[in-house]
Amino acid sequence: GSVHDSAGQPIVGASVAIDGERGVVTDANGDFEIVIPNDIHMLRFSHPGFQSQLLHVTPRGLIIVNLQPVLAETMIVSGIRADAETPVTKTNIERDEIEKQYHGQDIPLLLRDAPSINAYTESGAGGSGYSYISLRGVSPTRINFTLDGVPLADSEDFGTYFADFPDLARSLQSIQIQRGVGTSTVGSPSFGGSVNLQSIDLTEGEHTEAAVGGGSYGGKFASAAYQRNNLYARFSLIESDGFRDNSGIRQHNLFISAAKPLGDALLKFTGFTGHENQQLAFYATDADTLKSDLRANPLTPADKDSFGYDLGNLQYIRALGNNADMTASVYYQRGYGWYDLSSYRYGLDGMLLGTLVTYSKTSGALKTQLGVHANRFKRDHTRDDYANYGVKNELNAFAKASYDRERWHLYGDAQIRSTDFRYHGDVHIDPIRWTFFNPKIGARYDISSRSSVYASAGMSTREPTRNDLFLGEDNASVAHDLNAVRPERLYDFETGWDYRNDRIALTANVYSMEFRNEIASTGELSDIGLLLRRNVDRSYRRGIELDAEWNATPTVRLHTIANVSRNRIHEWTQFYDVYDEAGAFIDSKPLRFRGVEPLLTPSVILNQAIDYTPSPRVSTGAVARWVGRSFLDNTNDADFVAPSFFTLDANVSVAVTQGMRVALQLNNALNNDRVYPSGYSYLFLTREASGAETPGGIPYYYPQATRNAMVTLDVKF
């Protein structure tokens, strides 16, 4: 068959899935072939930017499908996302896969089966507390998270805290993970990569759904959603005691999306308001304590927080004719609350206001996309004995062009970004402004209708965070030189090959990420739990990634994810505290190391999944993960290592009736009690009377939960 748009033009890369399972994609002419077993089956046709379509089909005949555009996705496709032909390294996770894999965990843990991702949670339990993700070993503050184009991170320290907006995954239509510099985005430039979340499609008709669940460590949740034509609303409640002591959490979230057609235009609002109250667990536990008490938490029940997060995005989308369209949007983001730590109460209240305008036009084989984005962020920092605030303004513009001619797909992308930061507190600090130019180019070549190769090169430059500039201080005690920490720059080179037929989908790529002035983690935390970092002259991350799916039989699917990498910092200076034999502090001493691996960057990550679906009513699956060892600091001392670990998760789902399904998720099924995906170290030297110095230190880890389970009941009507 073939898939076209409303104008009769072929749609390249449209997904054609049979009975909810992954199928094939259309070629450069919009054509596809798929094997349909006997009897009547359901085919689902989908592509970003178009309304999905379902057809009941028989094993014979030619199928011609015309997909209607979804104007509300214009901004996502034009301003943020990469199309199927765009020569960047990416992974797409669609709605059916999200529903299958989601069992209440935060977004970082939902994504850990994608290539080169490692994730953990401070509390140790998947749906509880703050969770973190690394991509190719790059920390989460250097990954750009957006929802429908709106940045989710705070503009000062680039932190995205998914605990503040729980159960968001249930309201997502799809997720695109771009690895490397990717395409130009809003918010902070992608450094390790970007994660672009798309809110759920607004479809015709009316339906209601509800989900309840419970499991280990006091975990329980309830969620209900209602959708009618152009209105969608969901309310969620989540509770957990956490795996580690004193790491419980209570969360709720209200998500709303609504649209109103206006002739050739559409007005759409998407937003949510969430809140959490939790006990803090951001300090890791020393290795000796973990030997006798795996659930120990250095923080006390009095160390807790309460934070709310509100987001609103109003979009005006209009088709202009002559294959052109535009989107104008305004958005609002506010994160506010307090945390109690060491008998002090700290307060944070930040607000981001922004606007974005994009324009897209297709003229034959040439497609151009232009965008302008501006925002202003202000955040108050308070404690019982001080108050300060920072203001950050940003203006950026991008231009993209793609040219599709027969087998060739060429792409170019350039962004100019200017941002400034001003501090207002007890001491005067001169403001600072940065201006960056971030270009990207690439090409894809279709070897055949089933296979293509691509290559891309790009540069991304970004400024230090507030925490970097203030050396971990929440309230500046001295007039820091804001030019002392240099902006970091990434030169990213990617090349890959993909192949698809009706049973196999395979993507393999090689990457080389060359950093200049990387602002690298030291392996230490500030007094308020943020990573301390400083510049290193040269470093790199180079590796191979594999993403392969094989429908071995009509009921068995295998999915293999692999990342093998070599990662190095050319030269690192580690500062050691020096103590005498009696334990008294004497001095601080720098030691230099060359050719070391960056901390918490495993050189091997392997995932192997198997799904068995004997009937539409029953499905089972298992995911095995192996993460290689990584170092807790940049000295590469073998005594300070996050050890390699293996976990096995399993699941089973049964449709009790047409609209009711029961699912069981079993995590860490083999009960591995030494899963330490992250941590840090404290290094020191002991100086003897003779002057000889002996290195020592203490490793700290974030232990993850032993065997645990979650049971979920989903009802749709």
Side-chain angles (χ1 to χ4, degrees):
S2 60
V3 181
H4 303 85
D5 61 19
S6 56
Q9 297 298 312
I11 299 178
V12 182
S15 172
V16 185
I18 184 169
D19 295 335
E21 296 298 316
R22 296 211 172 194
V24 299
V25 296
T26 56
D27 61 20
N29 298 315
D31 297 332
F32 69 93
E33 292 183 8
I34 191 168
V35 177
I36 301 175
N38 293 330
D39 209 347
I40 298 176
H41 291 265
M42 180 78 75
L43 284 187
R44 180 178 185 268
F45 301 84
S46 60
H47 189 279
F50 294 89
Q51 298 179 28
S52 299
Q53 187 170 335
L54 296 174
L55 288 180
H56 288 90
V57 298
T58 59
R60 62 183 180 275
L62 180 67
I63 302 169
I64 299 177
V65 175
N66 294 96
L67 298 183
Q68 300 300 313
V70 179
L71 284 173
E73 292 184 359
T74 300
M75 185 179 72
I76 299 170
V77 175
S78 299
I80 300 296
R81 288 207 166 179
D83 294 333
E85 304 83 14
T86 306
V88 299
T89 304
K90 58 187 180 294
T91 297
N92 293 320
I93 305 174
E94 302 300 334
R95 175 71 179 174
D96 54 351
E97 193 70 14
I98 295 172
E99 290 183 329
K100 181 178 180 180
Q101 299 298 334
Y102 180 66
H103 51 271
Q105 71 274 41
D106 266 357
I107 298 292
L109 297 173
L110 175 65
L111 301 182
R112 65 180 174 179
D113 292 333
S116 298
I117 285 181
N118 196 17
Y120 74 98
T121 177
E122 288 177 348
S123 75
S128 173
Y130 294 113
S131 58
Y132 302 93
I133 184 174
S134 64
L135 180 54
R136 295 179 176 174
V138 176
S139 61
T141 58
R142 299 150 84 205
I143 300 171
N144 189 356
F145 293 92
T146 57
L147 173 65
D148 290 352
V150 176
L152 294 176
D154 72 77
S155 297
E156 280 188 339
D157 286 317
F158 302 146
T160 304
Y161 301 103
F162 288 96
D164 293 344
F165 29 95
D167 207 35
L168 180 61
R170 292 187 191 275
S171 299
L172 296 181
Q173 186 67 31
S174 66
I175 303 171
Q176 183 177 87
I177 306 168
Q178 296 181 16
R179 303 189 291 281
V181 299
T183 59
S184 289
T185 65
V186 297
S188 62
S190 57
F191 225 65
S194 60
V195 178
N196 307 314
L197 311 176
Q198 177 200 335
S199 62
I200 195 166
D201 285 348
L202 299 178
T203 58
E204 297 297 325
E206 180 178 2
H207 74 270
T208 304
E209 60 183 72
V212 294
S216 304
Y217 313 117
K220 48 186 173 288
F221 70 86
S223 181
Y226 173 76
Q227 182 163 342
R228 181 176 181 181
N229 297 334
N230 290 319
L231 172 67
Y232 170 89
R234 178 180 291 276
F235 183 72
S236 304
L237 290 168
I238 299 178
E239 292 187 5
S240 174
D241 296 333
F243 171 69
R244 301 175 75 194
D245 295 336
N246 308 317
S247 64
I249 189 169
R250 307 293 181 266
Q251 305 163 285
H252 66 260
N253 190 26
L254 174 63
F255 185 101
I256 295 176
S257 185
K260 181 176 178 58
L262 301 170
D264 291 336
L266 187 73
L267 190 66
K268 182 181 180 183
F269 173 82
T270 301
F272 59 80
T273 177
H275 201 280
E276 57 85 5
N277 292 275
Q278 66 177 306
Q279 298 169 300
L280 299 179
F282 62 77
Y283 283 154
T285 305
D286 67 273
D288 288 341
T289 299
L290 290 174
K291 292 176 183 178
S292 58
D293 186 1
L294 191 62
R295 302 178 70 173
N297 175 10
L299 293 168
T300 71
D303 299 316
K304 56 189 177 182
D305 75 13
S306 175
F307 277 96
Y309 190 102
D310 301 329
L311 181 144
N313 182 23
L314 183 64
Q315 301 169 266
Y316 176 76
I317 306 102
R318 185 176 185 86
L320 301 176
N322 295 321
N323 295 316
D325 56 67
M326 60 82 66
T327 297
S329 65
V330 292
Y331 60 83
Y332 160 86
Q333 177 213 96
R334 184 181 175 215
Y336 57 94
W338 52 263
Y339 58 99
D340 289 342
L341 179 66
S342 302
S343 301
Y344 284 105
R345 171 159 291 189
Y346 296 80
L348 292 172
D349 191 347
M351 184 172 66
L352 177 70
L353 294 174
T355 183
L356 173 69
V357 178
T358 63
Y359 171 82
S360 176
K361 181 175 177 59
T362 302
S363 301
L366 178 66
K367 182 177 183 180
T368 55
Q369 301 161 332
L370 306 174
V372 177
H373 171 234
N375 66 38
R376 177 180 176 84
F377 180 78
K378 177 181 179 292
R379 184 161 71 176
D380 295 305
H381 297 244
T382 61
R383 200 175 75 171
D384 304 336
D385 55 347
Y386 67 70
N388 67 73
Y389 68 92
V391 177
K392 193 170 185 181
N393 299 295
E394 178 180 335
L395 176 65
N396 70 63
F398 65 79
K400 304 178 183 182
S402 58
Y403 183 79
D404 302 309
R405 192 72 171 182
E406 297 179 348
R407 296 189 174 190
W408 283 100
H409 309 280
L410 307 180
Y411 177 80
D413 178 348
Q415 178 198 57
I416 295 179
R417 178 172 176 268
S418 180
T419 183
D420 64 77
F421 174 70
R422 295 175 180 270
Y423 174 76
H424 303 266
D426 299 332
V427 298
H428 173 75
I429 298 177
D430 291 334
I432 189 170
R433 173 178 290 277
W434 302 274
T435 300
F436 306 121
F437 176 64
N438 299 316
K440 306 157 184 91
I441 58 170
R444 181 182 293 274
Y445 177 74
D446 295 328
I447 300 173
S448 68
S449 61
R450 300 180 182 272
S451 178
S452 68
V453 293
Y454 73 91
S456 66
M459 184 179 77
S460 185
T461 314
R462 52 170 263 171
E463 71 276 12
T465 68
R466 169 182 160 134
N467 192 60
D468 299 331
L469 297 171
F470 291 177
L471 306 180
E473 288 190 316
D474 187 56
N475 186 61
S477 61
V478 297
H480 295 281
D481 179 6
L482 301 189
N483 291 292
V485 183
R486 298 183 298 278
E488 53 186 347
R489 176 169 293 174
L490 168 63
Y491 299 94
D492 181 39
F493 305 93
E494 311 264 343
T495 183
W497 168 68
D498 59 72
Y499 173 81
R500 290 178 179 271
N501 61 28
D502 55 356
R503 297 181 63 184
I504 295 174
L506 186 151
T507 300
N509 64 279
V510 177
Y511 64 88
S512 177
M513 302 171 68
E514 309 294 322
F515 295 86
R516 300 294 182 268
N517 297 320
E518 179 182 3
I519 307 175
S521 296
T522 67
E524 304 162 289
L525 296 183
S526 70
D527 291 339
I528 57 173
L530 297 178
L531 290 172
L532 295 178
R533 309 188 305 162
R534 65 174 183 269
N535 289 117
V536 295
D537 182 32
R538 290 174 179 265
S539 57
Y540 65 79
R541 288 170 172 82
R542 302 166 184 166
I544 301 172
E545 295 167 328
L546 174 69
D547 187 345
E549 290 188 23
W550 177 37
N551 293 311
T553 72
T555 60
V556 177
R557 184 185 70 160
L558 300 174
H559 191 185
T560 302
I561 299 290
N563 169 231
V564 179
S565 62
R566 177 179 171 84
N567 315 285
R568 291 292 185 272
I569 295 174
H570 287 274
E571 186 176 290
W572 174 259
T573 300
Q574 184 72 37
F575 292 88
Y576 287 77
D577 289 338
V578 183
Y579 297 89
D580 63 18
E581 293 177 297
F585 177 78
I586 302 173
D587 196 4
S588 179
K589 181 177 181 179
L591 294 180
R592 186 172 297 174
F593 299 84
R594 288 185 172 86
V596 293
E597 295 185 28
L599 60 84
L600 299 176
T601 306
S603 58
V604 179
I605 299 178
L606 303 174
N607 287 4
Q608 178 60 59
I610 181 170
D611 295 322
Y612 175 57
T613 310
S615 73
R617 295 185 58 185
V618 179
S619 64
T620 62
V623 180
R625 299 184 187 88
W626 192 83
V627 178
R629 70 100 176 94
S630 59
F631 292 100
L632 297 178
D633 53 60
N634 296 320
T635 69
N636 288 188
D637 189 322
D639 292 332
F640 303 97
V641 170
S644 61
F645 63 88
F646 175 83
T647 60
L648 178 67
D649 298 344
N651 62 79
V652 59
S653 176
V654 179
V656 180
T657 65
Q658 184 176 1
M660 181 182 297
R661 181 171 289 271
V662 178
L664 169 66
Q665 175 70 31
L666 182 63
N667 300 310
N668 196 0
L670 301 181
N671 204 35
N672 185 347
D673 61 358
R674 290 295 181 267
V675 179
Y676 302 153
S678 186
Y680 48 84
S681 65
Y682 173 58
L683 303 176
F684 57 83
L685 298 173
T686 301
R687 183 175 297 166
E688 302 172 4
S690 64
E693 294 175 338
T694 304
I698 304 173
Y700 297 85
Y701 300 104
Y702 294 99
Q704 302 299 282
T706 52
R707 184 185 297 119
N708 62 96
M710 176 67 72
V711 177
T712 303
L713 172 65
D714 282 295
V715 181
K716 298 181 180 180
F717 48 91

